[in-house]
């Protein structure tokens, strides 16, 4: 993944954005958060308001098997616990991992917005205004224990992952490699991307991996539909900013996390499911013949004819 310093808004929009490839932007003006956000400052800035967190006994969190539990802690207590490697007080085990992904007031209806959920900390962050105000979708505040690994997934909106403190490793896969990622909804079943179970997931070897290491102050541009798998190499704080790349009406109105497929895509998949159901009315050899023809038509009509 290329690393570029001193990229202006104009250059980003002219040269980088249209290419739809991940890029690490260095040396951006992010406000005082990069120096201020120590464990002490974070824990006193927002006090003891309750936050809902993921707690996992193992470093690799898997959303599909749900190998973690949700718990609630006062924010100041959570920050201190997330920053330590061994815990005096814990839910599952003394070396459990913690992860906060901020949500809206009503997680089912409201988007995450750091200005609303963490107003004191929001004052310290200068979010790069590389997109129009009306394109803004959400700003997600994240805190991770050292060693925590998040499942591989894609989002349907463009986003900046702003690494404020700590270090992360991010593995990325192109949308065109989706056939090799064993998808369940927006998530990949391949939890361990470094040591995949190739008996279970033989095609995974075909997925081309892009990788970058984020230092404090780095900003990773993740285009919509690019898969990403994130490891927090140290305790760290990040802010994700999602914005709408497509016209606003393209997105599902009930989407608060930015991970529901655009409405036209959902409709197309439903229509395809109905077509496949219709094929079941035919004997096997006919079904096979017409299914292959349908695949060819999809490739001819809808695949990109370049390598993107």
């Amino acid at each position: 993944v290329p690393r570029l310093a001193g990229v202006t808004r104009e250059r980003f929009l002219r040269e980088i954005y249209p290419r739809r490839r991940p890029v690490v932007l260095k040396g951006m003006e992010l406000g005082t958060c990069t120096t201020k956000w120590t464990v002490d400052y974070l824990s006193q800035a927002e006090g003891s308001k309750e936050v809902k967190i993921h707690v996992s006994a193992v470093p690799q969190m898997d959303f599909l098997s749900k190998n973690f539990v949700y718990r609630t802690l006062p924010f100041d207590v959570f920050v201190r616990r997330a920053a330590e490697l061994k815990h005096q007080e814990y839910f599952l085990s003394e070396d459990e991992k913690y992860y906060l992904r901020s949500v809206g007031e009503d997680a089912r209806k409201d988007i995450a917005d750091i200005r609303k959920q963490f107003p004191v900390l929001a004052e310290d962050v200068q979010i790069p205004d590389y997109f129009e105000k009306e394109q803004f979708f959400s700003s997600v505040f994240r805190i991770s224990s050292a060693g925590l690994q998040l499942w591989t997934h894609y989002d349907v909106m463009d986003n900046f992952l702003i690494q404020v403190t700590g270090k992360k490793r991010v593995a990325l896969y192109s949308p065109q490699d989706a056939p090799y990622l064993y998808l369940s909804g927006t998530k990949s079943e391949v939890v361990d991307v470094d040591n995949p179970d190739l008996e279970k997931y033989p095609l995974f070897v075909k997925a081309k991996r892009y990788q970058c290491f984020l230092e404090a102050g780095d900003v990773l541009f993740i285009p919509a539909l690019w898969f990403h798998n994130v490891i927090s190499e140290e305790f760290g704080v990040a802010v994700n900013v999602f914005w709408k790349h497509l016209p606003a009406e393209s997105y599902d109105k009930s989407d608060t996390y930015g991970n529901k497929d655009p409405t036209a895509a959902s409709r197309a998949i439903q229509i395809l499911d109905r077509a496949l159901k219709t094929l079941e009315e035919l004997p096997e050899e006919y079904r096979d013949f017409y299914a292959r023809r349908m695949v060819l038509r999809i490739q001819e009509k809808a695949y990109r004819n370049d390598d993107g």
Side-chain angles (χ1 to χ4, degrees), residues 45 54 101 119 156 175 236 245 303:
H54 302 65
R101 183 238 191 256
V156 299
H245 170 56
Y303 275 28

Side-chain angles (χ1 to χ4, degrees), residues 246-276:
L246 306 176
E249 60 276 11
S250 308
Y251 300 99
D252 187 322
K253 297 272 184 295
S254 67
D255 189 4
T256 56
Y257 288 90
N259 61 7
K260 288 191 178 176
D261 291 315
T263 48
S266 299
R267 281 206 315 278
I269 288 166
Q270 285 169 356
I271 293 164
L272 176 63
D273 286 341
R274 286 206 298 279
L276 293 170

Side-chain angles (χ1 to χ4, degrees), residues 53-65:
I53 53 169
H54 302 65
V55 183
S56 175
V58 294
Q60 268 172 352
M61 281 173 55
D62 179 2
F63 194 83
L64 297 172
S65 71

Side-chain angles (χ1 to χ4, degrees), residues 235-250:
F235 164 77
V237 185
V239 179
N240 259 131
V241 188
F242 293 88
W243 69 92
K244 297 169 184 171
H245 170 56
L246 306 176
E249 60 276 11
S250 308

